[in-house]
Amino acid sequence: MVFFWDNYSPTVFTDNGEGTSFRSDVGEGVDYYFMYGGNADGVIARMRELTGQAPMFPLWTYGYWQSKERYKSQDELVDVVKQYRKLGVPLDGIIQDWQYWGSNYLWNAMDFLNPEFPNPQKMVSDVHKMNVHMIISIWSSFGPHTKQYKELDKIGALMDFKTWPESGSEKWPVRRDYPSGVRVYDPYNPAARDIYWKYLEQMYKLGLDGWWMDSSEPDHLDPKQSDFDNKTWLGSFRKVRNAFPLMTVGGVSTHQRAVDSGKRVFILTRSAFAGQQRYGANTWSGDVTSSWNALKNQVSAGLNFSLTGIPYWNADIGGFFLSRFKRKLEDPEYRELYVRWLQFGAFTPMMRSHGADAPREIYQFGEKGSRYYDAIEKYINLRYHLLPYIYSAAWDVTAGQSSMMRALVMDFPKDKKALDINDEYMFGKSLLVSPVTNAMYVKPDVNEKEKIQVEDFSTIRSKETYLPAGADWYDFWTAEKFSGGNKVSRQTPLDIIPLYVKAGAVMPVGASVQYAQEKKWDSLEIRVYPGADGKFVLYEDENDNYNYERGVYSTITFTWDDAKKTLSISDRNGSFPGMLTERKFNVVMVTSQANKEITYTGKKVVVKF
C-alpha cells in the first residue's frame, strides 16, 4: 500500500517513534490517496492510473550515448561521432551541452549564436548521416538579450530571484559585479509555455531528436524568503514550486506531440514530480561527484526513484565532477571507477557517459587491445546485444505498468533477506545486476610521497552477491547454476560485473550492430535458462512514432515448460509496416549449449529439448 500526498507546496515529512506526519504551512488544500495494489508492481500501477502512463521511447534511446561538459564547436561534436564510427564502437546518441548560444546575456536563446557553430543544420545532418541522433541542452531561464526574455517579460512571466548563471562573464570565479540578468520563466502560465515552444520549435525544425531540459527545478541562489512570493500563474511560487519540473517538461512534451505524432518525445531532465512519466521524460540524478561512494549511492537512488512510479532514470557515467582525482583520466583509480560505473550504466534505462573536467569518449581510455578500452567496448556491445530484451521490458513498462530497474522487494517480497539490499537489483524481470562499487585494482605507490595510486592487477578480486530465495540462478557469464537464498562469491576482473539470470528465463539476444536500428531482429538467439517454468514476450514496432497507441505493433510469446522441456513460440499477435514475415530463431539451452535453429513465419512452433 502507498500513501500519496498530492500537494505542490513545500511539505515537512516526519517519521519517528511517535508516528508519521505530513505538514504544509503554505498549501491551501491537500488531496491524499491510499492506494492498495497487493504488491509493489500493483501499487505502482495504481499510481500511474492516477497520474498518467509512461509512453514508449524510440528504440534508439536505449543505445549508447556520449556527452561531456561541453563540446565547444560543431566540428568537435561531429568529430566525436566520426571517431566512434571509425573505431567500430556502437553509438546512437550525442548531446550538445550549454553555451552554443554564446554569451550569458544570451543565455538559453535556443539559437546557435556562438560563432563556433556556424552551420547547425549541417551539424545535425552530418550526425544523422552517420546514423546517430542528437539532443541539445535547454534551460528554464533566459538571458536579458534573448527574444524569449523580452516576450515573456511583456506578459509578466519572469521571476526575479537569483539563478544560474549569476554573472554576465563566463570566466571563473564568478564576477558578481557584472550580473547576468538571467531570469526564470513561469511555466505555470500557458501563454509562457506557448512562447517557450514557439522558439524551441525553430530548433526542432533543424531535425534535433530530443531535449536535455537542464535545471528543470531552477537553481535558487542565495534565497530570501521574499523570493518565494514571486507571483506565478497559479499563485505564489511558494505554494506551487514543487511542480515546476512537471509543468516545464509537460509544456515541451505537449507542444511537440501536437505538431508531430511521427516522432516520439524524448526528454532528458534533471528533476521530476509525480506524473512526469506521462511526458516522455528520463530523469538523471544531476551533477554527482566522482567517487566510489557516489557510485554505490546511485544504485539505491535509481531504485528508490523507480519505486515512486516514474520508471526512467539514469546517471552521469563516471560522475560529473572529477575534483577528487587530481590526475583526472591519468589516475588509475578513476579509470577503474569509470569502467565500473559504465558497467552499472549498461543496466539502467539510459546508458549515457557525461561529465566535466575531462572528456569521457572511449578513446580517451586507451586504444583497442588495452585493458580499460576493451572493458568499456565490451559493455557497450553487450548493451546492444540486449536491446530486444530491453525494448520488450520497456513495452512491459508501458503496457503492463512495470518498472525497468527493480528493487529486489518487488520480485521477492517474501524473502526478508532481500528487503533491504540496496547494491543489487533486477533489470527487467529476468536479470539480476550486482554492480562493483569499490576499488579492487589500485594500491599506493610506495615511491611517491603524495599517496599516488598505481595499478595492481596481480590478484583477481571477488564480489559477494545475495541471490534471492524462491528461485534458482545462473551466472550470466558461465551458466553455472546456484540455489536462491544464499550468498555467492564471484571473481570480478575489471571486465566482469556479476550478473545472474533467474531460472525459467527466456532471453533474446541480438546481433552485433553499430546502432540500434542497423539490423532487423531477423536472427535472434533465444537463450533458455531451465529449472522453472517461464515466459517472455518479445515486443516489436516501428521503433518510433505513436502508431503503437493504435495497436500497430506485434508480440511473440515464448513459454518454457520445464517439466516437458519444451519452448512454445506462439502465433505472432498483431502487425506493423515493415514487420518481418520470416525469421530465424536459434534456441539455445544454456546448461548444455544444445541449440535448435528454427524458421519462424508467425505461426506457433514448439521446440523440444
Side-chain angles (χ1 to χ4, degrees):
M1 185 175 72
V2 68
F3 174 78
F4 174 44
W5 170 271
D6 186 12
N7 180 10
Y8 298 153
S9 306
T11 296
V12 176
F13 170 66
T14 304
D15 185 20
N16 55 35
E18 299 176 0
T20 299
S21 67
F22 294 80
R23 188 188 83 246
S24 177
D25 295 330
V26 295
E28 292 181 341
V30 174
D31 293 325
Y32 56 90
Y33 305 83
F34 288 98
M35 289 176 279
Y36 176 76
N39 55 33
D41 279 307
V43 167
I44 286 172
R46 302 293 85 75
M47 187 67 178
R48 293 199 196 139
E49 287 170 4
L50 182 67
T51 63
Q53 301 298 336
M56 289 290 289
F57 287 132
L59 175 63
W60 54 265
T61 64
Y62 296 103
Y64 178 67
W65 289 77
Q66 187 62 62
S67 178
K68 77 169 187 177
E69 191 290 300
R70 57 190 162 87
Y71 297 122
K72 295 185 178 180
S73 72
Q74 72 179 66
D75 288 342
E76 182 185 7
L77 181 143
V78 172
D79 283 345
V80 169
V81 179
K82 288 179 179 178
Q83 277 288 92
Y84 271 86
R85 290 292 178 252
K86 180 180 178 181
L87 292 168
V89 177
L91 182 70
D92 260 279
I94 193 160
I95 307 175
Q96 176 58 48
D97 206 344
W98 61 350
Q99 291 185 324
Y100 58 87
W101 49 70
S103 78
N104 287 353
Y105 298 115
L106 291 167
W107 185 265
N108 196 34
M110 298 173 179
D111 199 355
F112 291 90
L113 303 175
N114 184 328
E116 295 300 321
F117 296 83
N119 193 338
Q121 182 64 77
K122 183 178 185 302
M123 174 178 61
V124 176
S125 297
D126 287 346
V127 168
H128 284 172
K129 287 175 184 176
M130 291 182 279
N131 296 294
V132 171
H133 295 79
M134 180 177 172
I135 70 173
I136 199 160
S137 173
I138 54 176
W139 289 60
S140 299
S141 52
F142 295 95
H145 293 177
T146 62
K147 297 174 183 178
Q148 297 94 324
Y149 182 104
K150 295 169 184 176
E151 199 164 340
L152 290 163
D153 196 30
K154 285 181 181 178
I155 64 169
L158 292 173
M159 291 185 257
D160 62 5
F161 54 79
K162 287 185 179 180
T163 192
W164 178 266
E166 287 185 87
S167 176
S169 170
E170 298 173 30
K171 293 183 178 180
W172 194 262
V174 171
R175 289 287 303 272
R176 290 183 174 83
D177 52 338
Y178 290 95
S180 68
V182 171
R183 293 169 68 185
V184 172
Y185 91 115
D186 175 9
Y188 308 93
N189 186 332
R193 296 195 298 271
D194 289 345
I195 292 169
Y196 194 99
W197 176 255
K198 169 185 169 182
Y199 290 96
L200 190 58
E201 188 174 8
Q202 301 310 306
M203 298 277 279
Y204 189 60
K205 290 177 180 178
L206 292 173
L208 289 166
D209 301 292
W211 316 107
W212 181 8
M213 297 190 70
D214 206 336
S215 199
S216 51
E217 187 168 359
D219 297 291
H220 197 172
L221 308 175
D222 302 324
K224 302 173 183 176
Q225 284 301 310
S226 59
D227 286 351
F228 295 111
D229 292 326
N230 268 263
K231 296 301 179 184
T232 75
W233 183 259
L234 295 180
S236 73
F237 187 46
R238 186 188 307 276
K239 292 178 181 177
V240 298
R241 66 188 176 101
N242 285 349
F244 192 102
L246 180 71
M247 301 305 292
T248 189
V249 168
V252 171
S253 177
T254 302
H255 278 92
Q256 182 179 321
R257 282 213 62 171
V259 301
D260 187 357
S261 63
K263 191 178 187 69
R264 294 177 196 167
V265 174
F266 180 69
I267 294 172
L268 173 64
T269 189
R270 187 190 293 263
S271 304
F273 189 78
Q276 198 157 307
Q277 70 277 355
R278 67 182 182 262
Y279 289 131
N282 192 320
T283 306
W284 104 97
S285 57
D287 297 347
V288 297
T289 192
S290 297
S291 71
W292 291 102
N293 188 55
L295 171 56
K296 183 176 181 179
N297 288 339
Q298 289 303 288
V299 180
S300 54
L303 297 176
N304 286 329
F305 188 88
S306 297
L307 283 167
T308 69
I310 305 177
Y312 291 109
W313 175 95
N314 70 105
D316 291 344
I317 289 175
F320 185 77
F321 292 112
L322 288 184
S323 52
R324 180 174 174 271
F325 299 96
K326 293 180 180 179
R327 292 188 292 158
K328 311 305 180 190
L329 301 191
E330 297 304 311
D331 191 312
E333 186 180 0
Y334 179 72
R335 292 197 294 268
E336 182 180 351
L337 172 63
Y338 182 84
V339 169
R340 295 305 193 187
W341 207 314
L342 183 125
Q343 291 168 352
F344 165 57
F347 301 98
T348 62
M350 184 181 187
M351 187 183 185
R352 181 185 58 89
S353 171
H354 179 73
D357 303 325
R360 314 292 174 86
E361 296 83 17
I362 185 172
Y363 44 85
Q364 309 292 349
F365 294 86
E367 57 187 20
K368 192 172 183 65
S370 63
R371 181 177 282 114
Y372 300 101
Y373 181 105
D374 286 356
I376 292 168
E377 183 182 36
K378 176 177 179 176
Y379 283 87
I380 294 175
N381 278 310
L382 178 58
R383 175 75 172 196
Y384 281 84
H385 288 309
L386 291 177
L387 281 181
Y389 174 79
I390 293 170
Y391 199 55
S392 297
W395 172 244
D396 197 18
V397 170
T398 295
Q401 300 176 333
S402 184
S403 299
M404 194 171 288
M405 289 183 71
R406 305 174 59 80
L408 296 186
V409 67
M410 299 183 73
D411 295 294
F412 307 97
K414 295 180 181 179
D415 185 352
K416 293 183 179 180
K417 294 180 180 178
L419 299 185
D420 197 33
I421 291 178
N422 64 359
D423 64 345
E424 57 187 79
Y425 60 98
M426 298 296 292
F427 185 61
K429 294 179 179 176
S430 298
L431 191 59
L432 188 148
V433 183
S434 182
V436 176
T437 57
N438 60 283
M440 294 183 172
Y441 298 110
V442 291
K443 66 178 183 180
D445 185 351
V446 295
N447 297 317
E448 295 288 345
K449 297 180 180 179
E450 298 181 8
K451 298 181 180 180
I452 290 176
Q453 301 274 43
V454 295
E455 296 175 354
D456 180 11
F457 290 96
S458 59
T459 303
I460 299 177
R461 307 297 179 181
S462 299
K463 185 190 176 183
E464 199 172 63
T465 299
Y466 178 74
L467 301 178
D472 289 334
W473 299 89
Y474 291 89
D475 186 310
F476 175 83
W477 305 106
T478 66
E480 183 179 0
K481 189 177 181 180
F482 301 93
S483 297
N486 299 293
K487 289 184 177 180
V488 295
S489 182
R490 211 253 182 251
Q491 286 192 330
T492 48
L494 184 67
D495 68 338
I496 291 292
I497 177 177
L499 299 173
Y500 299 91
V501 186
K502 188 179 177 184
V506 179
M507 182 174 291
V509 178
S512 295
V513 292
Q514 289 297 291
Y515 55 95
Q517 292 179 232
E518 182 183 16
K519 298 177 183 177
K520 292 189 175 184
W521 296 345
D522 56 356
S523 184
L524 294 181
E525 179 176 294
I526 308 297
R527 297 182 184 176
V528 178
Y529 293 82
D533 293 340
K535 184 175 78 171
F536 181 83
V537 178
L538 179 68
Y539 172 83
E540 296 170 287
D541 62 16
E542 296 172 273
N543 299 325
D544 210 336
N545 75 43
Y546 289 98
N547 290 339
Y548 72 88
E549 294 180 342
R550 299 185 289 105
V552 183
Y553 62 87
S554 77
T555 57
I556 302 170
T557 301
F558 297 79
T559 304
W560 172 249
D561 186 318
D562 199 59
K564 296 180 179 179
K565 296 295 182 282
T566 59
L567 180 70
S568 298
I569 306 174
S570 73
D571 290 343
R572 183 178 52 239
N573 182 34
S575 64
F576 59 90
M579 179 185 70
L580 291 167
T581 57
E582 183 176 303
R583 68 208 304 174
K584 301 288 186 183
F585 288 136
N586 183 30
V587 183
V588 177
M589 181 66 61
V590 297
T591 49
S592 63
Q593 288 302 301
N595 72 294
K596 295 189 177 182
E597 187 173 280
I598 65 162
T599 298
Y600 179 77
T601 60
K603 298 299 181 182
K604 183 176 179 178
V605 178
V606 177
V607 182
K608 175 74 175 175
F609 281 92

